[in-house]
Amino acid sequence: MAVYAMTGGATGIGAAIREQLCDAGHRVVSVDLRDADICADLSDYNGRQRAIDGIRQLCPEGIDGFIPCAGVGPSVKPPSLIARINYFAAVAVTEGVLDLLEARGGRVVMIASNSAPMVPLNDYVELLLDGEEEAACELADSRDTHSAYAGSKHAICCWLRRRSGELARRGIRINAVAPGIVQTPLSEKVLTDAELGQAMRDFGDSVPLGCIGQPKQIADVVSFLLGPGADYMTGAIIFVDGGHDAMLRPDDF
Ligand code: NAI
């Protein structure tokens, strides 16, 4: 039995990951706003610290894997909330449990998005990567929510790739899945959003494999990345999006 910690296990993709790992006989400690082993609001420092302290208390022997899955979608306002939860919380809690992962040769699987390559490494993404939370949030609030969302996921990908070499030397593998549209409460809010809904529905209609994804299809790949079959993988970003990224950027890899 392995011991995993995660955030965002209450609904959607996170709930599917939690269920799959529990069904396989593993122990999963989940952090979320509600329906969790550790209830914490990850949008601020105190909530992130509560999450880290709670995981340390419940898993003193270390963890075999960590999945920072909690996130909000591109319809959430103000856009700074997207930066705080999707990037700063994911990175802060991961950093806060690295020694627990190191103790058991653990793995991190981050949840990016196939929207990550839709924005460049711009000033907002640089501020995220520099850890400048207030400046990044101020900039996010001066722009649109889609840029805040895609930028937060772009930064997650850069952060994990930049850190993967050093973490490999500590015995920690770190990879990400980049889902396309997946049927969850988050995507439901975007698909019915007055501003983003039509574009999102059109995007969903253009998935090469013909439909949007299901949470289990993301959980299957997360489980693989947590397991022995992914022993030689670190620093990888796996698109699980029905072929959308390949369709949009065929020669860019
Ligand atoms: P969801 O809304 O079903 O689940 C998100 C979870 O994060 C919820 O359990 C929620 O309570 C938790 N959460 C949100 N804000 C929080 C906060 N401040 N503190 C603690 N927990 C908080 O969403 P879904 O779709 O399952 O998303 C999971 C991850 O997958 C997110 O990182 C999202 O960005 C990513 N993703 C989702 C896609 C989709 O189409 N559904 C596509 C690409 C990426």
Side-chain angles (χ1 to χ4, degrees), residues 7-15 31-34 40-44 68-73 81 85-86 111-115 149 153 177-189 200 215:
T7 68
T11 62
I13 294 170
V31 179
D32 208 306
L33 291 169
R34 63 192 76 81
D41 181 346
L42 297 169
S43 63
D44 66 19
C69 184
V72 288
L81 204 51
I85 299 168
N86 291 11
I111 312 297
S113 161
N114 74 347
S115 67
Y149 183 82
K153 298 299 188 178
V177 292
I181 305 178
V182 180
Q183 192 176 358
T184 69
L186 180 155
S187 62
E188 189 56 33
K189 282 185 202 127
M200 206 61 172

Side-chain angles (χ1 to χ4, degrees), residues 67-217:
I67 310 110
C69 184
V72 288
S75 58
V76 164
K77 289 182 180 154
S80 51
L81 204 51
I82 298 171
R84 291 192 196 282
I85 299 168
N86 291 11
Y87 181 78
F88 288 108
V91 166
V93 184
T94 302
E95 292 278 13
V97 299
L98 283 179
D99 61 322
L100 298 178
L101 287 158
E102 193 170 7
R104 291 169 77 115
R107 293 150 195 249
V108 181
V109 181
M110 307 200 81
I111 312 297
S113 161
N114 74 347
S115 67
M118 294 177 191
V119 294
L121 182 55
N122 58 21
D123 49 358
Y124 165 64
V125 176
E126 293 279 13
L127 285 172
L128 295 172
L129 289 165
D130 288 345
E132 298 284 351
E133 183 158 354
E134 296 316 313
C137 286
E138 199 176 314
L139 194 57
D141 283 340
S142 72
R143 297 184 180 166
D144 62 285
T145 54
H146 174 73
S147 304
Y149 183 82
S152 74
K153 298 299 188 178
H154 190 126
I156 285 288
C157 295
C158 294
W159 180 81
L160 87 84
R161 287 175 63 84
R162 290 179 184 188
R163 292 301 303 275
S164 61
E166 180 229 322
L167 293 177
R169 287 184 285 279
R170 293 170 63 180
I172 300 170
R173 295 161 180 79
I174 181 164
N175 298 290
V177 292
I181 305 178
V182 180
Q183 192 176 358
T184 69
L186 180 155
S187 62
E188 189 56 33
K189 282 185 202 127
V190 188
L191 288 162
T192 54
D193 183 73
E195 288 168 39
L196 300 175
Q198 190 57 54
M200 206 61 172
R201 291 192 292 277
D202 292 344
F203 192 56
D205 288 343
S206 69
V207 177
L209 281 179
C211 56
I212 68 169
Q214 294 301 318
K216 181 189 174 299
Q217 293 170 314

